[in-house]
Amino acid sequence: MMDGMTTGSRARSFGSAAARYAAHRPSYPAALFDAVEELAGFPLAGARVADVGAGTGIASALLRARGARVVAVEPSEGMAAEFRRRSPGIALVRGDGDRLPLATSGLDLLTYAQSWHWTDPALAGPEALRVLRPGGALAVWSNDPDTDVEWIADQQARIEKHFGPGWYINKPARPLPGLDFATRRLRWSRPVPVDAHLGKLSTHSLFLVGEPG
């Protein structure tokens, strides 16, 4: 179990690895955005969307490609700089989900791609309700390792043996007061060379801060 200080240091660690993050973190399949549209009840095309914890812009760029009007929100200076380098046409503001620098009732959709676990839901939940229009939607997703695959399960066990449980700290979103709640699980895969896989592992916060459990 990690205390708040350790969690905070991990959340702040990505800026130093922004270029590696952009190079090695996986994208998201088209089926994910199909599911977002289905569950939200409206198309992404033309929707006013804020992508929070946008990082280097992986999800923001895909949302824009689906026709959304995207503004990105990112707390890290290093990640924001990499975002602007890769996606200069997408607006970006500095901030985080606990204190959104966004107008009240101005959004159709608020997204957290691989970033909800860095928020305090007691703060981020009310903030989501504040910035969404009536009938708007909050979408939270992550790429999680499939431990039904033998080599992935073995890798997880080796990492946890060294760092302790909780090294991979994505936590599923829970129901929030004022919002209907639905989940969808999508399985997908991609071919990855070994060096790229190791590069991806090196962008995870626990490896960046180097704090074994």
Side-chain angles (χ1 to χ4, degrees):
M1 181 67 68
M2 296 173 300
D3 61 27
M5 183 176 297
T6 303
T7 302
S9 67
R10 290 176 66 169
R12 293 188 296 271
S13 67
F14 295 105
S16 63
R20 270 188 291 144
Y21 192 106
H24 296 302
R25 283 296 181 107
S27 185
Y28 303 102
L32 167 68
F33 299 99
D34 294 340
V36 169
E37 290 182 325
E38 178 188 341
L39 293 170
F42 52 81
L44 287 169
R48 298 165 298 171
V49 180
D51 183 31
V52 186
T56 60
I58 296 170
S60 299
L62 293 169
L63 287 161
R64 188 187 190 198
R66 296 284 291 235
R69 296 152 55 194
V70 181
V71 60
V73 180
E74 171 54 43
S76 164
E77 180 178 353
M79 296 289 264
E82 186 69 18
F83 182 109
R84 291 188 177 105
R85 188 178 75 81
R86 290 175 173 268
S87 299
I90 300 177
L92 182 145
V93 295
R94 298 287 300 283
D96 62 57
D98 295 345
R99 295 165 294 276
L100 288 169
L102 302 170
T104 298
S105 301
L107 297 174
D108 301 302
L109 178 66
L110 190 66
T111 64
Y112 284 82
Q114 209 84 16
S115 59
W116 178 256
H117 56 287
W118 298 121
T119 71
D120 177 352
L123 299 174
E127 276 291 88
L129 290 171
R130 179 183 68 79
V131 302
L132 287 168
R133 64 162 172 82
L138 168 66
V140 176
W141 69 80
S142 61
N143 276 317
D144 296 321
D146 184 355
T147 53
D148 290 337
V149 178
E150 184 177 3
W151 75 264
I152 294 177
D154 290 344
Q155 172 186 268
Q156 297 289 92
R158 289 193 300 273
I159 294 172
E160 289 197 359
K161 183 177 180 180
H162 181 69
F163 286 105
W167 81 273
Y168 192 87
I169 63 172
N170 277 354
K171 296 182 178 68
R174 303 298 182 192
L176 295 170
L179 285 173
D180 294 332
F181 185 75
T183 62
R184 184 69 54 84
R185 177 169 293 184
L186 302 173
R187 298 188 71 170
W188 74 291
S189 62
R190 61 180 186 135
V192 183
V194 172
D195 58 345
H197 175 66
L198 295 176
K200 184 260 185 186
L201 281 180
S202 76
T203 68
H204 282 275
S205 58
L206 191 60
F207 291 91
L208 292 171
V209 300
E211 295 178 357

